Amino acid sequence: MNNFISYACGVAPQWFYVTLLLIFCVVAIWIFSVKNVIRIKLRRLLGVMYVEYLLLLLCSTIIFRDHATCYLGVKFMPFWNYTYFTMDVLMEWLVNIFMFVPVGFCSSVFLKHPVATKIILLSMALSCTIELSQYLLEKGFCETNDVINNTLGGMIGYLIYKAPFLSNSFAAVRASIPAPFPYPFPEVGQGSKIHFSNHGVTALAN
């Protein structure tokens, strides 16, 4: 397990993880100090975690990568290394799959209408961006297999979100978030005036 963690997250320096942790703690304290529904607070906290995770993902795959310590090149043929079943290859598969599970899950939470097609396209677009950046900046090996594994990880996150015991909870979270204007507007004809009161909004004809 320690080898897996170091393989997945051992690229960024230690100060970067400490900074992310401090930012998360400060924002979490601020979120829970504001008077609001607990479900809304948890949703905002998840949003902070998602942003920090995306930043960590980009830093570990592109920003803090040293081209001198990684393989360089490009391989567009899919499944080219699936016949080489070694521990290093297996570790690479697992890392590329599991590091996109939070992407699929959190994207499903924050998308207005999460469907499998959107999650697949979002995961694929993010993965292609990372692979293309690695190739152009000489930060890693650009290959189609990583895009396939990343997209699979995003779909696993989406399926976790769609689990009955979770989807009902997030549906309740969405329902508990107040609309920008709590009262529905009545139909207003031309020349009518709108009257605001504590009981709602009414239209007054001229």
Side-chain angles (χ1 to χ4, degrees):
M1 187 63 182
N2 292 333
N3 293 333
F4 179 83
I5 296 175
S6 61
Y7 186 90
C9 306
V11 179
Q14 187 174 4
W15 65 262
F16 178 74
Y17 299 107
V18 175
T19 303
L20 286 182
L21 181 60
L22 290 177
I23 293 175
F24 175 77
C25 292
V26 171
V27 175
I29 293 174
W30 175 77
I31 289 175
F32 282 94
S33 65
V34 178
K35 293 182 179 180
N36 214 329
V37 182
I38 186 65
R39 288 174 175 172
I40 302 178
K41 294 180 179 180
L42 293 177
R43 181 183 174 88
R44 290 175 178 172
L45 190 63
L46 181 62
V48 176
M49 294 174 62
Y50 188 29
V51 172
E52 288 200 347
Y53 181 78
L54 290 177
L55 180 60
L56 178 62
L57 184 63
L58 294 177
C59 288
S60 61
T61 55
I62 301 173
I63 298 175
F64 289 117
R65 267 203 171 184
D66 185 6
H67 65 86
T69 59
C70 57
Y71 295 105
L72 301 178
V74 60
K75 196 79 170 181
F76 292 118
M77 185 177 68
F79 313 113
W80 68 272
N81 65 345
Y82 279 42
T83 57
Y84 304 101
F85 189 79
T86 63
M87 288 304 299
D88 290 337
V89 173
L90 179 62
M91 190 77 68
E92 181 182 354
W93 295 350
L94 293 177
V95 168
N96 284 308
I97 291 173
F98 284 109
M99 74 179 182
F100 263 66
V101 172
V103 175
F105 179 82
C106 294
S107 298
S108 301
V109 173
F110 292 104
L111 285 176
K112 188 173 183 180
H113 300 291
V115 293
T117 307
K118 290 182 179 180
I119 303 303
I120 290 175
L121 293 177
L122 180 64
S123 302
M124 190 178 300
L126 179 59
S127 180
C128 289
T129 302
I130 293 175
E131 294 299 314
L132 183 61
S133 300
Q134 288 179 345
Y135 174 71
L136 296 177
L137 302 175
E138 295 185 348
K139 294 285 188 174
F141 193 76
C142 176
E143 56 179 321
T144 308
N145 286 352
D146 288 351
V147 178
I148 296 174
N149 292 328
N150 293 157
T151 306
L152 177 61
M155 276 305 301
I156 292 175
Y158 170 75
L159 293 176
I160 294 175
Y161 167 81
K162 293 297 290 184
F165 62 92
L166 284 177
S167 59
N168 294 334
S169 299
F170 284 108
V173 170
R174 285 196 178 95
S176 65
I177 298 177
F181 196 87
Y183 304 107
F185 281 103
E187 294 184 0
V188 181
Q190 186 177 4
S192 299
K193 297 181 180 179
I194 300 177
H195 175 69
F196 294 86
S197 66
N198 296 331
H199 303 287
V201 182
T202 56
L204 302 176
N206 287 338

